[in-house]
Structure formats: C-alpha cells, structure tokens
Amino acid sequence: MNLPKRLTSLARGLFLALVFLFLFAPSVVVVVFSFNESRFFSLPIKGYTFDWYREMIHRTPLIDATKNSFYIATLTVVVSVGLGSITGVIFNRWRANRIVKSMISSVIPMPLLLPGLIWGLALLILFSRFDVRLSIWTVLAAHVLLTLPLVILIISTRLQTLDPAVEEAALSLGATYPETLYRVVLPHIAPALLASGLMTFTISFNEFILSFFLTGGGFNTLPIYIYSLIRWEASPIINAIATVMLVFAGLLVLAMYWIEGARALRGISRQSGEGDPAEPGAPSAIQVTQGATS
Amino acid sequence: MKLSGLVPRRLQGRALALGPVAAWYIVFFLIPLALMLRYSFAFTEQSRIQFVWTLDNYRQVFEDSIYLRLLVKSLRLSLTVTGITLLIGYPAAWAIARMPDRHKPKLLALLIVPWWASYIVRIFGMRMGFGNTGIINSTLKWLGLTDKPLEFFQYNFTAVALTEANLYLPLMIIPIYMSVERMDMRIVQAASSLGSGPIRTFFRVILPLSLPGVLTGCIFVFLPVTGTFIVPSLVGGPNDIVYGNLIASQFGESYNWPLGSALAIALLALLVVMLRVMTSLARWASGGVAQ
Amino acid sequence: MDQTVQVSLESVTKTYDQVIGVESLDLRVNKGEFFSLLGPSGCGKSTTLRLIAGFEQPDRGTVTIAGQPMQGVPPYKRNIGIVFQSYALFPHLDVFENVAFGLRTRRIAKNEIRTRVAQAIETVELTGLEKRKPHQLSGGQQQRVALARAIVIQPDVLLLDEPLGALDKKLRENMQVRLIELHRELGITTIYVTHDQEEALTMSDRIAVMSSEAHGLVQLDTPELLYKNPGSLFVANFIGTSSVIFDTLADVSSGYAVTDGGLRARCPQGFRAQRGAPVALSVRPEKIAIRADLDAEPEAPNRLRGIVETIVFLGESTTYLVRAKDREFRVKRFHDADQRVIPEGTPVLLSWHPDDTSIFVQ
C-alpha cells in the first residue's frame, strides 16, 4: 500500500472513531458519574463510591416502575412476536394481488413513521374517551404496534432465504400445512424469532415517548420514572439506574448479534438494496431505526 | 369459476390469523387518529369538551402568531439537526462502506446499540454536559481555559440541536451507508479514468447515486425531530420550547385537548405533505440516475 | 410395456390472473413410462407439473392419478415424489432426515424407516454422507438427496422439474444415464419437465412437446418419431435443428408435394393444401449432402446452389453454414477418410431427398 492510501485509511479510521465517540459520549458520561462521590456533575472527579447503587436498590417506586417495564416488555414480546411471525409467514407466502399487497405493506410501517408525540396523544384520547385507566395494558397496546412492523420485517427477511419449493417439497412428502409450518418453516425462522424477541424486549423496555402519555396516576415505567427523577431530583442515582439499563441493553444487543446479528444485517442491507429505499410503502429495514427512538 | 375445497379453507385460515393484527391496527392506530381529528373540531368550555363542529381551533392555530412562530422554530430545529447529521453522517457512512467487509457488521451493530440504549438515558447524558456547571463548562474552568462559563455550552438552542443530532445520527448514517455500500466502485474508477477530478466525480457521480439514501436519512431525522418535545424541555433554556411542547402542554397544564388535537393534526398534515415531497424527490433522484 | 394409464389430464385449463397457464390440455401417461414435458419457458409445462402435484387446482377439467380423481385432494394426500429444480432440501435437516421426512409423515415404524432410508441413500450412491447438512454437499450430491427423498416413499408418480438444470454439462450427462438406469430398476412412472430437447430425446419413452402459443400440447410422440416426423414447424425447430425454406405450393401428386421453387417433399398423412398456398419445408442438417463439384450428378432430387459461409468444426463432424436462396442452411457432414473439408467461400451444391423433407402449411 502506498503512503497516500495509508494516510486516507488512517484519516477514515480516525474520523469514524470520533463519530462513535460522539455517539457514545453521553452513555460513557452517565456510567462514569454513577461512581462519583460528589452530587454534582463536574470534573475533576473527587472520589469513587457505590453509594448511589446502594441507594438505588432501596427505592420502592423504582422497583415498581422496573417491574412494570419488565412485565410490559415481556408481554410485548409474546404478543408482538406471536402476531408478527404469523403475519410475516402469511404475508410472505401470499400470492395475492400486487396492489392489495403493496397497500398492506405501506400500512404496516405507519406506526414507526408517525411521530410518537402525535400517535401517543391520539392513544391518550382513545383511552380517556372510553374511560380506560392508564396501566400496563395501555402501554402494551402501543408497544405491540410499535414493534410489530420490526418483527414482521425480520421474519420476512429470514423467510426470503427459504426456497418456497422447500415447503412444497414437504407437502409433496405427505406433510399437512400445519406439519409443514411446524417441521420446516418454524425451525428455519427460529433464530429470527429469538432475535426479534430480544429486540422487541429492548425497545419496549426503553421506550419513552408513547409511555410518557400512556402512564400516570401513580403508574410508571422505568424510563418515565427516570424522567421524573431528572425533573425533580437530579442526583447520581439516575446514573446508577441508567448504568444498569445500559449494561442490560448492551447484553441484549450482544445476544442478538450472536444469534442473528450478522445475518440480519446482511439481510437488511440486501433487502434495501432491492427497490427504492426511500419508498415509504416498503417496510424497509431503515424504518427499524425509527422504532427504537420514538 | 369452480373453486376447489382447498382454496377457501386456506383463505379462512388466513383471515383468522390476520384478524388480530388488523384489529390492532384499526383499534390502536386508525381509530385514535380519527378521534383526534374529531376532537380538533370540538371546543373546550370550562374544562368540558363540547362536541360541536367548529373550525375555531384551526383558526386559532393560523391566526395566533405564537403557534406559527413555534412551528417555524421547530422546523428550524429540524433543519439544523438534519444538516448536522448529514454533514457528519455522509462521510461516516462512506467511511464504514470502505471498511473491510468483516468489520462492517460490527460497526453497524455499534450504530444500533446507541439507539437501543434508552432514549431518556442518552438525553440525560447530554444534559449532564451542558449548563453553567455542566461537564463541559466545569472542565474548561478546571483546565484554566476559561474563568467563567461559556454561553455556548449553556442550556440553549445549540444544546437542543446537538442532543437531537446525537440521538438521530444513526438514522442518517444507516440509509446512506446502504446506498453507498451497494454502489459499484468501478463507476467511480471509470469516472476518474475519463479525466474527472475527485470533486467533479463526487458531485457528478457519487452524490447523485447516493441521493436516495441521503433523502431517506433526511426523512428519518427530520420527521421525529419536528415532533420533539422532551429534549427542549430537558436541555433547552426557557425560551427554547418548540411546537411539540405546545401540543403536549394542551394535553397537560393548559388542558385544551381540542386545541392540542388541532395543533397535532396541523403538524401531521404538514409532515405528510413534506414526506410526499421528499419521497417523490427521492424517487425522482433514483429514477433520474442511470441504473 | 404395461399400458395402464397412471396419470391422466382431461381438458385441463388453468389461468392465473388472466394469464393462461394451460388450456384444455389432454395427457395420458402410462404406468411405468418415462414421460417428458418439453417446451420453452412459458409453455405451461411447469403449470402442468404443479397441477399433477396438487399445488394448483385446475379451473376446469380433471386430473387423475392411479385411477383416483384428484379434485380437491391436497398435495400431501397424493402419493407423489417431486424433485425440484432448486432441489428444495430441508436446510436444517441432515441427509438422513431429509430422506426420512416423507416416511416420518407417513408414521412408518422407526426400524423400517432406517432400512428404507439406507437403501434409498445407497441407490443414489450417497452412503456415508448421512450426517451431512445440505449446505455441506455439492450440487450433484444435493440433487441425489432430493432424488432419494422422492423415491423412498415409493410414489405413484415421480415428478422431475428440470432437475439437472443447475448441474454442469459433464455431471448432467452422468445423471441422465443414472436416471434412466434408476427408472428401469424401480419402474416408477416418471414425468420429466425440461426445456432441453436433447435431454428429453435421450431419456424419454414419449415426449409431449408444448408451446407457449398453444398453452399446451403441440405433439406427443416417441423421440424417434418426433425427430423424423415433426408435426409442425415449431416442433421441427424445437427438436434438433432444421434448415427451413419458405415457398409456395405448386402441385401435389402421388404423395409428394412440389413447390414453385421445384423442391419436393413427402406429404404427411392428411396433408391438405390449395395450390399457391404458402408452405415451409424443413430438413435436418445431416440429411443434406454437400458437394464442391457443381457439375456432378446430385445424390437426391432436391438441389440448391449456395456458397459456404462458415465452417464449424465439431470433432466427429463438421457443420457448414451455407447461404443459398438468401437463406442459411445448416449442413452436417461426418468425417470420412477420403473427404476433405470444403473451404469457406466455395460454391457448393446442396441436395437432399424428398423423403427427408417435412412440409408444413403456413
């Protein structure tokens, strides 16, 4: 390799390092200050302590909010992965009218495209109109719809790697439709099911904007509880909680990466390689991004 | 046409299986938006909502200058954030695409991690950096570079824009990466072999080819930032509230749901129009380029 | 040969979204026969296969397998074995489990499964690879697993959907021979779908030629008769190669047609045409004699003068592309010791016999 080439690749690496530093800086700062003795977020750090973690585990509202978030995330996984995989399977093998199909596939990612503010408030109107008390179930309703498009996308991407003739082969060998699903399709999409489950859990557990409007009356999720702490009691307890959450999220992402990550990413880029990525109709992988942040 | 027994039975199963999903979309997506639309034509009298049909809310939205001013501010914020993320994201996407193949999935996963990590935690992390006693100003002081806190790093519009940029940068990088990654590098080589300089090659060849990805990224950053409301209230100053805060407050302190609905619907309409314009731009861009 | 009909289609029509798949197709496949469906893509041969397999239901007409009407019978209740073009092996199962799949769905006892699978794997010469996953096998091996999987269930019909399409030439020829042997050994009624006329000619007892214009059958015959007596210009062109001359009919007498250009052809049975009708004559390349000596007595009554344009050396033979009457003629000459290659640009005399000439009314 000649010198200019080596220099440009060095510059490229350096630039990327800076970009990732910018992306991770807030998380790193949060983690570092969770061990800071001082109540104030300023450098230099005077000393290290685990006090904030100790204080954290004695907060009952925190424990309650964590439990709520855990329940909601678990239920979201069950419902979303259940419904999403069925939809993915049917949609993928459906030789329906093209127009009908493209209409459906343009409706599916809508909850991801719409700003959470608008949709969250619309849901709030719905629940108040019909006197539904804000609870785990109201948040669940929203989280399922938020994660469904992603599950459908991941499952369909995975299914596209299964030759439809394989299912026909099973049928020709005497397997009924349910048997074919169970013995051929299910084993094939199992990793994708697991991966989308982990992703759904992470998104639901961390989701903020929709939960912001769909909690209340003494009922909280963990992100909302953190928000109220930031608002009313800025203390390193928040850092301690956030650190635990980050570690947890990191582990889940790592698990998903091991299971399906490389393959899913390849599938995602392959899929967006076909057709127009800006097409709002196609449940493009890029829209995955939206779900996690809104 | 005669149907065999098999076909309708499979159709039935299909309807049965898709029913719950369809129901979920209708009940928790279509109906809420329809209700919101209905609310936007009602009005509030002494904290009670009167379900009449009136355009008063919309009239107020367009006549009261504060609403329009905040809407313009929201759009300015979105544009700023889109600009920042594009300026950082484009070269970043390009750099990732030029990395060895075995590193690409890892780098993409690293992009995904931050937006999986909690939204509120990241905002909190950014919040810690700003302010008179924030990490940035206190560090500058500690290092002896300044003797009093710099205004630039206080809770202000800049802090809001930087925080949003931090949140949404991955959404800009990934679509651009995808359009750059599938680009045939031989085209670039062909251009330079035809005597095109690097700058010319970028503007005449590379940029047009990656334009669909750029526009997709812009859509994915622009839309959510226009509807933002938490970030300005946590890292902005008192004067930095935006249109999103206005909507949220109608459902909170101000307790005027019909007006809040009208504000939300107006924003939704604006976003739909912008989305249309940008997708047709993207389509035009990708169609206008020889494949 | 046993003449019991094993598979029959009676005036079967299948349309997809207004696109015709097959139209009023009639087919009878005899028990134990190696039967090919041959045609270009879009002729409906795959649709026919899918109708027999039960993946599609006909809009009209009936499919019968082993005497049983298949109306409304799902694929898993028809006792058929299919080898797909893509092999369609179960990616998550090893070779043994792939082959055993059809036996397990039939709830056959474990012991019997073990012996039958072992036998099938031996038949396709894959013994020792039982524990391999499909992605660890070569294309040819995957193909044989697919075959073993289809024959182990002792199907009433074996359907082969261009099974050799993805293999390279050498392997394909080996597999053709292997398939013929296997067919003789097992005697399973086999329906073979292909667009490769050579393959169909080599392997089949009978061939059904299909065309996209007809959305169905054009001619059904043994390979030999198809080659010798093509029933239409389409078949003449599709099966083997032919040189075609367009002309008008001058006269018909004592079983031979004469054209205005003075060419003769034996009339097929039931040939009926008006004087002056446009006709096409076709002749096989190996039936044309070629001479550089223009004055010698030609070998056959049909003769044309032309110029050699291109020579294609093929090893045991040479093909001459000769321009005559503004058309290109293919002439194939096998090498004899005393014959020298005629160089390009040489004026030549072509001649062939009326009995080797097919005539079609346009």
Side-chain angles (χ1 to χ4, degrees), chain B residues 21-43:
Chain B
V21 175
W24 218 286
Y25 270 87
I26 292 168
V27 174
F28 297 118
F29 194 73
L30 292 180
I31 293 181
L33 287 177
L35 271 176
M36 185 176 239
L37 190 65
R38 174 68 191 93
Y39 268 62
S40 72
F41 293 107
F43 79 96

Side-chain angles (χ1 to χ4, degrees), chain B residues 60-79:
Chain B
Q60 207 177 334
V61 172
F62 289 108
E63 278 171 4
D64 203 328
S65 68
I66 177 145
Y67 302 127
L68 288 179
R69 223 177 55 234
L70 287 183
L71 184 59
V72 170
K73 202 165 158 194
S74 275
L75 295 178
R76 191 161 64 98
L77 176 67
S78 303
L79 274 177

Side-chain angles (χ1 to χ4, degrees), chain C residues 37-84:
Chain C
L37 297 173
L38 174 66
S41 59
C43 70
K45 57 188 194 297
S46 288
T47 304
T48 309
L49 194 91
R50 297 177 63 79
L51 285 165
I52 298 170
F55 299 139
E56 313 284 353
Q57 293 285 330
D59 302 336
R60 276 189 303 277
T62 51
V63 177
T64 310
I65 299 175
Q68 301 292 316
M70 287 291 129
Q71 176 73 21
V73 178
Y76 52 87
K77 283 186 185 154
R78 308 178 176 200
N79 191 27
I80 43 172
I82 308 182
V83 177
F84 293 86

Side-chain angles (χ1 to χ4, degrees), chain A residues 9 12-13 15-16 19-20 22-27 29-30 33 41-44 79 83-84 86-87 90-91 93-95 107-111 113-115 117-119 121-130 140-142 144-145 148-149 152 177 195 198-200 202-203 206 208-209 212-213 222-224 226-227 230-231 234-235 238-239 242-243 245-246 249-250 252-253 256-257 261-262 265-266 268-269 272-280 284-290 292-294, chain B residues 6 10-11 13-14 17-18 20-21 24-25 27-29 31-33 35-36 39 51 87-89 91-96 98-99 102 104-129 133-135 138-139 142 162 165-171 173-175 177-179 181-182 212-213 215-217 219-221 223-224 227-230 233-234 243-245 247-248 251 257 260-261 264-265 267-268 271 275 278-279 282-283 286:
Chain A
S9 97
R12 209 159 51 205
F15 177 72
L16 270 187
V19 169
F20 279 105
F22 174 60
L23 279 177
F24 281 91
S27 310
V29 165
V30 164
F33 279 87
F41 305 128
S42 59
L43 286 174
V79 178
L83 291 180
I86 294 170
T87 311
I90 291 175
F91 199 64
R93 295 293 182 250
W94 192 2
R95 288 178 306 177
V107 170
I108 287 177
M110 288 284 224
L113 277 172
L114 192 66
L117 172 70
I118 297 173
W119 183 33
L121 287 172
L123 278 167
L124 180 64
I125 291 176
L126 174 83
F127 292 131
S128 88
R129 187 86 188 85
F130 294 99
L140 177 71
V144 166
L145 213 44
L148 251 180
I152 295 174
Y177 290 105
L198 287 171
M199 190 186 68
T200 301
T202 317
I203 290 173
N206 289 308
F208 181 80
I209 296 178
F212 184 75
F213 297 111
L222 185 53
I224 306 300
I226 293 176
Y227 172 76
I230 297 172
R231 269 267 115 130
S235 96
I238 304 168
N239 296 64
T243 301
M245 284 180 77
L246 284 174
L252 284 178
V253 171
M256 157 148 175
Y257 184 76
L265 287 171
R266 241 179 289 132
I268 281 166
S269 19
S272 78
E274 303 157 3
D276 180 3
E279 175 71 55
S284 141
I286 301 154
Q287 288 155 5
V288 169
T289 30
Q290 204 110 42
T293 29
S294 50
Chain B
L6 190 70
R10 287 186 68 186
L11 277 177
R14 209 169 266 155
L18 290 185
V21 175
W24 218 286
Y25 270 87
V27 174
F28 297 118
F29 194 73
I31 293 181
L33 287 177
L35 271 176
M36 185 176 239
Y39 268 62
F51 284 100
L87 277 179
I88 306 175
W94 181 265
I96 296 176
R98 292 290 145 275
M99 280 285 173
R102 72 204 139 91
K104 285 180 193 171
K106 282 176 223 155
L107 290 173
L108 285 182
L110 272 180
L111 276 181
I112 297 166
V113 175
W115 49 261
W116 274 19
S118 177
Y119 180 79
I120 194 71
V121 168
R122 278 174 299 153
I123 297 174
F124 175 63
M126 289 301 278
R127 181 185 155 93
M128 286 168 64
T133 57
I135 293 168
S138 70
T139 308
W142 173 47
L162 283 176
N166 184 279
L167 291 172
Y168 292 103
L169 183 57
L171 301 207
I173 298 179
I174 291 175
Y177 164 79
M178 283 168 176
S179 65
E181 143 86 349
R182 67 190 229 239
L215 283 167
T216 309
I219 290 169
F220 290 159
V221 173
L223 289 190
T228 190
F229 67 102
I230 283 294
S233 72
L234 285 183
Y243 193 74
N245 299 86
I247 298 177
F251 288 83
W257 287 24
S261 299
I265 296 284
L267 177 63
L268 183 62
L271 292 181
L275 189 68
M278 285 171 101
T279 44
R283 199 166 299 150
S286 65

Side-chain angles (χ1 to χ4, degrees), chain C residues 9 18 36 52-53 173 183 191 200 223 283 348 353 362:
Chain C
L9 280 78
Q18 276 123 43
S36 285
I52 298 170
E173 282 166 4
H183 177 250
I191 299 178
V283 55
V348 289
H353 202 274
Q362 284 304 94

Side-chain angles (χ1 to χ4, degrees), chain A residues 95-98 161-180 183-185 187-188, chain C residues 16 50 55-56 74-76 78 80-82 84 86 88-92 98 101-102 104-107 149-150 153:
Chain A
R95 288 178 306 177
N97 192 309
R98 274 179 66 92
T161 64
L162 184 69
D163 181 0
V166 168
E167 286 157 61
E168 291 182 345
L171 290 173
S172 78
L173 291 167
T176 60
Y177 290 105
E179 254 182 305
T180 304
R183 297 185 49 174
V184 177
V185 179
H188 186 76
Chain C
Y16 304 95
R50 297 177 63 79
F55 299 139
E56 313 284 353
Y76 52 87
R78 308 178 176 200
I80 43 172
I82 308 182
F84 293 86
S86 60
L89 298 179
F90 304 120
H92 61 292
N98 260 284
F101 192 94
R104 296 213 190 281
T105 61
R106 283 169 171 73
R107 311 266 183 274
R149 184 178 70 176
I153 59 172

